[in-house]
Amino acid sequence: MYTLIRTLFPALIIIGLSAAVSRAGSVSGKITNEAGQPVSLASVLLLRATDSVLAKTELTDEKGEYHLTLIADGSYILRVNMMGYEEYASAPITIGSSDVPMPDIKLHTRATELKEVAVRTQKPFVEVRADKLVVNVEGSIVSTGSTALEVLARSPGVTVDNNDNISLKGKQGVNVMINGKIQPISGQDLANMLKSMSSNAIESIELISNPSAKYDAAGTAGIINIKLKRDKKIGLNGSVNGTYGQGIYGKTNWGFNMNYRNKKVNLFANYNGSYREGFNHLTLDRNFFEGGQFASAYIQDNNYLYKIGSNSGNIGMDYSLSAKTTIGCAFNGDQTDFLREGYNYSLVKDADRPDMPRHFITENRAPNIWGSRTANLNLRHTFDSGGKSLTVDADYAAYPSSGTQDFTTTYYNDVAGDTRPIAAPVILNGDLRGMTQIRSGKVDHTRTLPGKINMEVGAKTSFVTSDNDLRFYDLSSGKRVEDAGRTNHFVYNENINAGYVNLSKEYDKWSTQLGLRTEQTIADGHATTLKGDSTFTRRYMQLFPSFAVQRHLNKKNDLGVTLSRRIERPNYDQLNPSAYYLDPTTFKQGYPYLIPALSYSAELSWVHDQKFITNLNYTRTAHPITEVIQPSPTEARVTIQTQKNLKSMQYFGVNGSYQVKVTRWWNNTTNANVYYAHYTGDIAGTNLSAGRVTFDANSSNSFLLPKDWSAEVSGFYQAPQLYGYMSLRPTWMLNVGIQKNLLEKRATLRLNATDIFWRGYPRATSTYVDYRESFVAQRDTRQVTMSFTYRFGKRTVPPTMRHRGGAEDEKRRAGNATG
């Protein structure tokens, strides 16, 4: 494989970058007022003269100067906007291969200034982009008061199952990022973090199904990037908010954010708190067989209530050392207190005693505390106006956790009139202490090569240490006896070193991108138990090429092709062999022999009118990591929830994302997926070779109503689907919300109802040769929420985000968008 890539990659670069011979130029100039003084922070827009499509945009610097680069040959109109001044529009200008100097542009003060602009707009819940879908959480009425995990579950193509595993377009292996930074936690730890994150702190969520080489290669199903809110206005700005929701139980969120920005300094801080109560009602029908004959069954009814209180905040600063150099720092911290109290009733049926059923009851209580402490230092330097820049990041993060688990199980015979237990209760106590630490550094450099080829190169190194000490004690005899079968101290260390190069070029009707990323993984795990020690080591290096080409057919239509290779590494939680006790017949345990999953993905996209995007996608994954609930290989009539490698997964899909302006006051965005996933593998003596055609659809409607009212109606439907050995039944959800702007639009009042018909919970069946399990997991998803937000500070100045040389994505990834 390496030989093939080394042979083909240079040829692909030559082919991709030689697809056309057009050249690109630039435009520069200065903006002044009537007194001849420079006007800073004016918006300079370059529009194609033929169709007024935006080609480039820039904000003037302190000297009133602007420089727009990497512009394809053609005719353009230059437009300048600045609050308090009349708009300026130039005559058509022709741009070729060299710089076009513009004469100084003088802006004229408006004779009168309106107190309020009458035009009203509302961002759609889902925004369609050529390379991703953007879920605009900040502007969504029905997302108010939700958690980040709940918003994800309602997002197009995203599924969250009963164990809080996240999949994108029917594929697991999603890499979750926050403000462009990978989250090293996964599984239940990631779900808990997202449950404690309020939607009030989120600006938008980006769903990227086929990332380029500049992104980390992790995530065989793509990337979900959660962007947190950050005020970009000049001066002191901020907002306060409060939310209360009621389902079966109450839920509340509160918080504030503040931002101060001038030409040199940007200071930001925010805080969010929440308290939520809820439930999980899980019913199970579990049947064991021997030689195809029924042996026994458990019919279980699990009810647990939870209480989650969380507090999170961050503070940071960006400082401009000069017009070309900015340094920044950010510090984040959060803590979540989680209490789960449960009651499990299990009816036991045995083939050899059909007339003598019995049952057991397990009561459990598990208080836990987890949190995070992160710090980021960053630097961005722009060398020249041609897009040459350097960004440097240094990060540290710590994720401490602690908790206890108390279980009491009592066994009974189901004999009429006899309520006595069979024996003394079995009492178990678990004590967990854990800490995960991450240290990372990365450098990204962007420059323009001869021939107007944009080059991005970078390197990154990260070190992760996870230390989890789980100790179980049997208290049944009245003494505290350490349980040798469940006690485990697991330490996992991982070092990933990466480098990438990404080349791209814009032509009149073509755009191309070629990238290559290499990642070296060095990992080892060590488990210490009362029965002995075990160690595993992983050493491997992989290449991850990516290729993209887009053809502009005409004013309305574009075609694109993307190819990429990605990896999903097993994380420390999936590898941890510690057994987590759920009830006497169920354990959750990691599997230390997992190997990385590797995938190849190809996608053909058609973009019509920048509103309608249709994709054809094919993905082949070797050794996909899949969550399974299987019978224990060592204990009779016991099941284990764990992760295993299947042999392969092939995915064929058609995805459509469509934005329609039905009327002036009604906008609709609909996303639909039709796909077929075929799995092969052999687990628990059960050969698997199965697939199923399925689909999902998500539709969001926003309405602009009179007198500053607006409304939103959204819903999704997931048809029956197959995931490995698990067959899932359909789910659907309908949500509605209404909003009113108050106090001269400084305040917003929102009321919404989610999952009105209570059909958004999972139901599924897992089937093996000697085991079959069906479950229904009901949750507190049907709720009504009211929210009030008040915004303070200046509102009439433009944002200060600068667009330099096409490297904004690197700027976001460098941490300057943290907050």
Side-chain angles (χ1 to χ4, degrees), residues 439-654:
R439 303 165 184 84
S440 69
K442 72 182 183 75
V443 177
D444 297 284
H445 176 59
T446 301
R447 67 186 306 159
T448 303
L449 301 177
K452 302 297 183 181
I453 299 172
N454 188 46
M455 181 180 73
E456 300 165 295
V457 296
K460 178 180 178 180
T461 184
S462 64
F463 296 87
V464 178
T465 300
S466 177
D467 189 331
N468 288 280
D469 192 0
L470 174 64
R471 299 186 180 274
F472 263 102
Y473 301 91
D474 190 338
L475 309 180
S476 305
S477 64
K479 298 180 181 180
R480 188 177 176 86
V481 180
E482 195 161 7
D483 190 321
R486 298 185 177 96
T487 292
N488 192 301
H489 184 195
F490 180 67
V491 179
Y492 177 70
N493 295 285
E494 181 181 80
N495 168 222
I496 298 176
N497 302 300
Y500 76 90
V501 57
N502 212 59
L503 303 175
S504 61
K505 184 173 174 63
E506 297 285 339
Y507 306 99
D508 184 29
K509 294 190 175 183
W510 290 87
S511 63
T512 59
Q513 173 268 318
L514 285 163
L516 181 64
R517 186 180 188 89
T518 180
E519 293 190 352
Q520 177 195 38
T521 303
I522 304 170
D524 61 77
H526 182 79
T528 302
T529 69
L530 298 180
K531 296 180 179 180
D533 296 352
S534 62
T535 301
F536 65 86
T537 301
R538 301 282 187 267
R539 301 285 189 274
Y540 51 89
M541 180 179 287
Q542 298 282 347
L543 294 177
F544 302 97
S546 66
F547 170 75
V549 60
Q550 188 170 31
R551 167 68 175 175
H552 179 64
L553 301 177
N554 49 46
K555 294 180 182 180
K556 295 285 188 179
N557 297 284
D558 294 89
L559 285 177
V561 175
T562 59
L563 306 170
S564 67
R565 183 177 190 255
R566 301 190 65 77
I567 188 172
E568 180 186 3
R569 300 178 184 86
N571 59 62
Y572 56 85
D573 184 57
Q574 294 171 329
L575 296 168
N576 187 352
S578 299
Y580 296 85
Y581 181 76
L582 301 178
D583 65 49
T585 63
T586 309
F587 298 92
K588 182 179 181 181
Q589 188 174 39
Y591 186 66
Y593 305 108
L594 289 172
I595 60 176
L598 292 164
S599 70
Y600 292 88
S601 182
E603 187 170 278
L604 171 67
S605 63
W606 169 42
V607 182
H608 176 69
D609 201 24
Q610 295 298 310
K611 297 178 181 179
F612 308 103
I613 298 180
T614 304
N615 299 305
L616 298 177
N617 180 271
Y618 170 75
T619 301
R620 179 176 178 82
T621 303
H623 311 298
I625 299 173
T626 307
E627 181 168 285
V628 297
I629 302 174
Q630 67 172 76
S632 170
T634 59
E635 298 179 77
R637 303 174 188 179
V638 171
T639 58
I640 298 178
Q641 178 183 328
T642 187
Q643 304 279 339
K644 289 291 183 67
N645 288 108
L646 297 182
K647 182 180 179 181
S648 67
M649 189 274 286
Q650 292 194 77
Y651 174 95
F652 306 85
V654 180

Side-chain angles (χ1 to χ4, degrees), residues 49-97:
T50 54
D51 52 14
S52 296
V53 171
L54 180 65
K56 288 283 182 179
T57 182
E58 176 65 281
L59 295 175
T60 55
D61 59 20
E62 293 84 351
K63 299 179 182 179
E65 297 176 351
Y66 62 90
H67 196 90
L68 303 170
T69 61
L70 299 177
I71 304 168
D73 295 0
S75 181
Y76 296 89
I77 294 174
L78 192 74
R79 184 172 294 169
V80 181
N81 292 305
M82 183 63 183
M83 186 66 68
Y85 294 91
E86 295 179 357
E87 182 182 73
Y88 169 85
S90 73
I93 56 177
T94 301
I95 298 177
S97 59

Side-chain angles (χ1 to χ4, degrees), residues 628-806:
V628 297
I629 302 174
Q630 67 172 76
S632 170
T634 59
E635 298 179 77
R637 303 174 188 179
V638 171
T639 58
I640 298 178
Q641 178 183 328
T642 187
Q643 304 279 339
K644 289 291 183 67
N645 288 108
L646 297 182
K647 182 180 179 181
S648 67
M649 189 274 286
Q650 292 194 77
Y651 174 95
F652 306 85
V654 180
N655 168 260
S657 301
Y658 310 109
Q659 293 181 358
V660 179
K661 191 175 183 65
V662 183
T663 67
R664 289 191 307 168
W665 48 270
W666 177 7
N667 287 286
N668 171 270
T669 302
T670 297
N671 179 271
N673 299 292
V674 179
Y675 58 91
Y676 172 80
H678 188 274
Y679 298 88
T680 63
D682 193 340
I683 295 176
T686 305
N687 185 58
L688 174 68
S689 180
R692 180 169 189 165
V693 176
T694 186
F695 71 92
D696 63 71
N698 184 303
S699 182
S700 176
N701 300 270
S702 59
F703 306 92
L704 291 174
L705 306 178
K707 298 182 179 180
D708 269 338
W709 286 88
S710 56
E712 186 177 323
V713 178
S714 67
F716 78 82
Y717 177 80
Q718 170 65 63
Q721 61 176 320
L722 186 69
Y723 172 63
Y725 290 88
M726 187 181 297
S727 178
L728 291 97
R729 297 173 65 184
T731 60
W732 58 279
M733 186 181 291
L734 179 67
N735 317 297
V736 299
I738 193 165
Q739 170 180 295
K740 169 67 173 174
N741 289 323
L742 305 167
L743 304 176
E744 297 182 347
K745 297 186 179 180
R746 286 189 176 271
T748 301
L749 182 66
R750 290 174 171 174
L751 178 68
N752 69 56
T754 58
D755 200 5
I756 294 173
F757 297 99
W758 203 25
R759 288 294 182 269
Y761 53 84
R763 299 169 293 167
T765 300
S766 296
T767 303
Y768 297 86
V769 169
D770 289 325
Y771 178 69
R772 178 184 173 89
E773 173 186 298
S774 298
F775 74 81
V776 177
Q778 295 176 314
R779 299 163 179 165
D780 202 6
T781 54
R782 181 168 58 183
Q783 52 190 271
V784 176
T785 302
M786 178 172 286
S787 169
F788 180 79
T789 301
Y790 179 77
R791 294 168 291 276
F792 57 87
K794 295 183 179 180
R795 299 181 293 170
T796 57
V797 293
T800 60
M801 181 67 74
R802 300 178 179 235
H803 301 271
R804 299 275 190 189

Side-chain angles (χ1 to χ4, degrees), residues 23 81 120 237 276 296 415 422 571 606 672 676 712 715 818:
R23 304 174 70 187
N81 292 305
R120 295 171 58 207
N237 295 274
R276 309 174 67 84
S296 64
V415 178
I422 298 174
N571 59 62
W606 169 42
Y676 172 80
E712 186 177 323
T818 302

Side-chain angles (χ1 to χ4, degrees), residues 124-128 133-136 155-156 657 659 669 671 698 700:
F125 177 59
V126 180
E127 197 171 352
V128 180
L133 292 181
V134 179
V135 181
N136 290 305
S155 299
S657 301
Q659 293 181 358
T669 302
N671 179 271
N698 184 303
S700 176

